Amino acid sequence: MGIKERERKVHQPLRRAGLEVIPNAVPEGTMPFVLGWGAEDAIDGFSHRYDTPHLVERLNADWYGLAVSSGLFDDQREFLVQLPQGTRSHRAAVQRLNGYHAPLLWTRVRLLERWDIMGRGAASAFLGMHSGHPGFGMMALDGSVYVCASTGETGVDVHAVGRPNRSENILRHLEWMAHRDSRYANREVSHRIATWLAGRPERHSGR
């Protein structure tokens, strides 16, 4: 896939949702995935049922409040969002691999003055299934917090996970994924995880 095609199919829909893509600017050493976290890892969050009045507006307001209070944004309102490779949408990734081992990549973005993450963003097919049904993973540039949204049978759940790179639950899960011996395992994902685990500063400093 060429740069122009990705710009048209991915970057433009995200910009309409209020996210300006900053190409090739993901900080070195960023952990590739945040999976397997437990309730004790969550530092904040919220939930709304689908029948909540003005659902998208409530979701947007609470997401922004959570992002500010948890430290998702830097001083330029930049952060990372995890997107499927190529032009495959969030919906296609979920349908193909249940959203679990999809080869996702971090992309650096800036939140613009006018934005609609839970409406247009979710409807873009890269941050959810459709408006009011978000599905995404976001992380601060320094890796200090991970914010994720998921949809269930009755509503939307959004959580903030603090210091994911130090969570025993997450690290244990990543170790399992890195060394999983199964025909269903994604070799690219396993390699990326193993490389990060081997090189993370905490491992070499003994923390």
Side-chain angles (χ1 to χ4, degrees), residues 117-129:
I117 301 300
M118 299 296 190
R120 286 188 177 185
S124 73
F126 294 102
L127 299 178
M129 302 294 283

Side-chain angles (χ1 to χ4, degrees), residues 136-177:
F136 56 70
M138 300 172 173
M139 191 157 64
L141 296 179
D142 62 2
S144 59
V145 66
Y146 173 77
V147 175
C148 59
S150 61
T151 54
E153 292 184 3
T154 60
V156 178
D157 297 310
V158 181
H159 296 93
V161 176
R163 295 291 176 188
N165 63 330
R166 298 181 183 177
S167 163
E168 292 184 3
N169 293 320
I170 294 170
L171 293 175
R172 188 182 308 114
H173 193 83
L174 292 182
E175 288 278 4
W176 173 78
M177 289 185 65

Side-chain angles (χ1 to χ4, degrees), residues 29-206:
T30 298
M31 65 187 307
F33 297 95
V34 180
L35 296 168
W37 57 272
E40 63 272 25
D41 297 310
I43 57 175
D44 204 350
F46 62 88
S47 299
H48 288 305
R49 293 179 58 87
Y50 295 129
D51 57 5
T52 300
H54 309 291
L55 175 62
V56 170
E57 290 83 353
R58 289 285 301 278
L59 289 171
N60 272 331
D62 288 349
W63 169 80
Y64 185 78
L66 181 64
V68 171
S69 64
S70 66
L72 178 65
F73 306 145
D74 74 351
D75 57 3
Q76 300 297 317
R77 301 213 301 182
E78 295 180 7
F79 58 101
L80 302 174
V81 62
Q82 210 157 32
L83 301 174
Q85 288 182 357
T87 59
R88 185 169 59 222
S89 68
H90 170 80
R91 179 180 299 175
V94 169
Q95 290 174 341
R96 181 177 178 181
L97 294 167
N98 295 323
Y100 201 61
H101 300 298
L104 303 171
L105 292 174
W106 289 113
T107 298
R108 188 168 180 162
V109 296
R110 178 183 298 114
L111 187 68
L112 302 175
E113 288 301 317
R114 298 184 65 178
W115 54 268
D116 181 11
I117 301 300
M118 299 296 190
R120 286 188 177 185
S124 73
F126 294 102
L127 299 178
M129 302 294 283
H130 52 81
S131 180
H133 287 64
F136 56 70
M138 300 172 173
M139 191 157 64
L141 296 179
D142 62 2
S144 59
V145 66
Y146 173 77
V147 175
C148 59
S150 61
T151 54
E153 292 184 3
T154 60
V156 178
D157 297 310
V158 181
H159 296 93
V161 176
R163 295 291 176 188
N165 63 330
R166 298 181 183 177
S167 163
E168 292 184 3
N169 293 320
I170 294 170
L171 293 175
R172 188 182 308 114
H173 193 83
L174 292 182
E175 288 278 4
W176 173 78
M177 289 185 65
H179 302 100
R180 184 185 179 197
D181 185 15
S182 169
R183 64 189 181 93
Y184 297 107
N186 186 300
R187 292 184 178 180
E188 178 187 348
V189 170
S190 298
H191 176 71
R192 284 164 53 191
I193 292 174
T195 299
W196 179 81
L197 286 170
R200 65 190 184 93
E202 291 84 353
R203 179 186 180 118
H204 299 298
S205 64

Side-chain angles (χ1 to χ4, degrees), residues 5-14 83 86-87 126:
E5 182 183 5
R6 185 166 178 83
E7 169 69 25
R8 177 173 59 85
K9 293 185 176 180
V10 182
H11 295 185
Q12 288 183 9
L14 290 176
L83 301 174
T87 59
F126 294 102

